[in-house]
């Protein structure tokens, strides 16, 4: 399949524009870094914003604002219809309404796909490497095991990749379970808060389970490279470290908080860690070798342990 030459620069006012890119989740943890990369690369960016606060952040990053949300499918259609490419990063991270979040994601992909059908335009969308192949090193060749609206993320990856046959260039952006950096409020922040509350930095079992990780800035750069280089139907892995052991993570948090580091029995994980206990003990390493070769991408920013040792997740807890 050949793609239209949407990378040929055009001029808007006095500024040369490469592409007009619609970004959902534009003010989010990963999305805000992606917008900065896109603007820096010469793209014109339109960011979806649900609130006044989000709109202000998108504008401050040098992007236009389109007011809307994942629940407002017309706003998604409008943004996609007026763009040369779509980068869909927004997601409802509500573990108390897991199936509803999946249904919302599936509806968003369907809305974007309907607009882009027959245009050969890129549709890059967020996915993950977690649970692809537990216990073995997941690669880009591993198909997602999740299909259907009731599955994790609504089976959106398989749905979106099937749109190759509808004249779209879908690309799955599979992120590591922890995309880290200063200001991150994800899994590492939850583990640090739990260690502070319990007075113990715990790991499950022998602590040998591995979690892949990537720095937020490296992931943002990978996404912009994928916009230009990733072929239709491809899967790229936002993974800089194949697997950091859960014991190493616990030890780094323990050092920063000056609390003991202890093993938590698997049967006690839910009580000790809460909802994250269901995930923290799973061995789910992942490779990005194929992605690095395909995109010419080399992660260069701080590692997960370096960010933990820098106090990004514990400084506020020690004050």
């Amino acid at each position: 399949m050949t793609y239209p030459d949407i990378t040929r620069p055009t001029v808007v006012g006095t500024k040369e524009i490469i592409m007009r890119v619609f970004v959902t989740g534009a003010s989010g943890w990963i999305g805000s870094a992606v917008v900065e990369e896109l603007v820096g690369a010469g793209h014109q960016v339109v960011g979806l914003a649900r609130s006044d606060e989000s709109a202000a952040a998108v504008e401050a990053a040098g992007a236009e604002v389109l007011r809307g949300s994942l629940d407002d499918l017309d706003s998604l259609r409008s943004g996609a219809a007026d763009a040369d490419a779509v980068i869909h990063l927004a997601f409802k991270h509500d573990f108390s309404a897991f199936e509803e979040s999946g249904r919302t994601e599936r509806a968003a992909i369907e809305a974007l796909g309907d607009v882009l059908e027959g245009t050969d335009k890129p549709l890059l969308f967020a996915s993950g490497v977690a649970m692809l192949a537990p216990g073995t090193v997941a690669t880009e060749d591993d198909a997602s095991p999740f299909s259907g609206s009731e599955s994790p993320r609504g089976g959106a990856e398989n749905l979106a990749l099937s749109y190759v046959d509808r004249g779209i260039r879908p690309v799955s952006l599979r992120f590591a379970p922890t995309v880290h950096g200063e200001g991150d409020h994800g899994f590492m922040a939850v583990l640090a808060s739990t260690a502070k509350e319990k007075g113990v930095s715990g790991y499950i079992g022998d602590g040998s389970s591995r979690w892949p990780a990537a720095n937020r800035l490296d992931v943002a750069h990978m996404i912009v490279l994928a916009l230009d280089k990733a072929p239709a139907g491809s899967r790229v892995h936002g993974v800089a470290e194949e697997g950091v052991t859960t014991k190493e993570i616990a030890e780094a948090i323990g050092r920063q908080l000056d609390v003991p580091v202890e093993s938590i029995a698997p049967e006690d994980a839910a009580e000790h860690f809460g909802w994250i206990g269901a995930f923290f003990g799973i061995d789910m390493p992942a490779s990005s070798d194929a992605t690095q070769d395909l995109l010419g991408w080399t992660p260069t920013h701080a590692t997960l342990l370096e960010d933990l040792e820098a106090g990004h997740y514990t400084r506020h807890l020690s004050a």
Side-chain angles (χ1 to χ4, degrees), residues 24 69-71 73 76-77 88 90 102-114 123 159 163:
T24 73
S69 70
L70 291 182
D71 295 314
L73 296 180
L76 299 183
R77 296 185 185 102
H88 173 48
R103 288 191 291 269
T104 299
E105 174 68 358
R106 192 175 184 88
I109 290 293
E110 289 173 339
L112 295 168
D114 287 345
L123 170 59
L159 173 65
Y163 286 2

Side-chain angles (χ1 to χ4, degrees), residues 228-318:
D228 180 47
K229 298 181 178 181
S234 59
R235 313 175 187 101
V236 295
H237 282 193
V239 172
E241 296 177 271
E242 186 173 289
V244 183
T245 69
T246 54
K247 185 175 182 180
E248 290 175 306
I249 292 169
E251 288 172 341
I253 292 172
R255 284 191 292 271
Q256 291 301 306
L257 292 176
D258 195 23
V259 298
V261 179
E262 296 181 5
S263 170
I264 306 299
E267 61 268 24
D268 297 328
E271 180 181 356
H272 181 87
F273 292 103
W275 62 267
I276 200 174
F279 305 100
F280 190 42
I282 299 175
D283 185 43
M284 47 185 174
S287 168
S288 65
D289 289 347
T291 297
Q292 294 189 45
D293 289 343
L294 174 67
L295 303 181
W297 174 60
T298 302
T300 60
H301 290 87
T303 66
L304 174 58
L305 293 182
E306 286 171 345
D307 272 346
L308 287 169
E309 297 288 4
H312 294 333
Y313 295 91
T314 51
R315 190 180 301 113
H316 66 291
L317 298 174
S318 302

